[in-house]
Amino acid sequence: MEKADYDLAVEHCLDAVYRTALNCCRNRQDAEDVVQTAFLKLLECDTPFRDETHIRRWLIRVAVNESHSLWRSFWRRNVSSLEEQTAEPSFSQPEYSDLFCAVSELPIRYREVIHLYYYEDYSVREIAALLHITETAVQTRLMRARRKLKQRLTRN
């Protein structure tokens, strides 16, 4: 990939890849590592890309895969940082805080589809392609995630 194309990809895709990684990793430091790895892989990649959308989807897929790899590692499963235990963002309205907490408590498979669908504005078909699952699986995960969110939010 040429430097100009790479710079353009970084400029246009960095925010989306970072948000996706942050959603999957749940902390800023790991998300930054995942984003850095994704863009390094893009730099080393010999795959010809059709357009900017193809690059963006490829980068998001790499970020999701890297996040999963990070969470599967032995170290990650057995250690939690002090920052994760104490840091919680502040919100102007209590409803946003409740929603944030409810979404962050969802299992990763539900958090991913919620993030991609509502925050990144991907369609069910696009999410299925990104996560390498069927469209039916995406719809099922969205339905289950909404149900879990509704239960948690109405219980409080």
Side-chain angles (χ1 to χ4, degrees):
M1 175 172 268
E2 294 182 23
K3 181 172 176 16
D5 294 335
Y6 179 79
D7 291 341
L8 190 64
V10 170
E11 182 181 325
H12 290 275
C13 302
L14 181 63
D15 288 339
V17 174
Y18 178 73
R19 285 190 310 263
T20 301
L22 188 60
N23 181 52
C24 292
C25 294
R26 294 187 182 181
N27 74 49
R28 187 176 52 86
Q29 293 83 6
D30 289 340
E32 289 171 355
D33 290 343
V34 166
V35 169
Q36 182 177 5
T37 303
F39 280 102
L40 280 173
K41 286 187 177 190
L42 176 65
L43 193 58
E44 297 168 350
C45 180
D46 293 332
T47 305
F49 295 102
R50 293 185 303 270
D51 55 11
E52 185 181 316
T53 305
H54 186 204
I55 294 173
R56 178 184 164 115
R57 288 182 184 175
W58 187 88
L59 282 167
I60 287 177
R61 181 69 233 162
V62 170
V64 168
N65 287 343
E66 288 297 319
S67 298
H68 287 179
S69 296
L70 183 68
W71 281 101
R72 281 192 304 262
S73 72
F74 175 79
W75 177 257
R76 221 32 198 140
R77 285 182 297 187
N78 295 305
V79 174
S80 66
S81 75
L82 184 59
E83 291 175 0
E84 289 177 3
Q85 303 297 324
T86 59
E88 188 171 316
S90 59
F91 296 95
S92 60
Q93 297 178 357
E95 302 88 42
Y96 295 151
S97 176
D98 294 342
L99 180 61
F100 175 81
C101 291
V103 170
S104 67
E105 291 172 0
L106 289 174
I108 185 71
R109 62 181 5 189
Y110 299 137
R111 248 189 3 259
E112 282 177 339
V113 294
I114 290 289
H115 176 77
L116 291 172
Y117 189 78
Y118 289 106
Y119 296 105
E120 298 300 329
D121 293 324
Y122 280 106
S123 70
V124 169
R125 176 174 284 156
E126 293 169 329
I127 294 170
L130 282 170
L131 299 179
H132 300 295
I133 58 177
T134 64
E135 290 179 35
T136 306
V138 172
Q139 292 171 337
T140 302
R141 288 181 186 184
L142 280 169
M143 179 187 65
R144 289 178 181 167
R146 289 179 192 125
R147 188 181 311 135
K148 287 180 180 287
L149 286 171
K150 183 178 180 181
Q151 288 172 350
R152 287 190 178 147
L153 294 173
T154 55
R155 187 176 16 152
N156 292 340

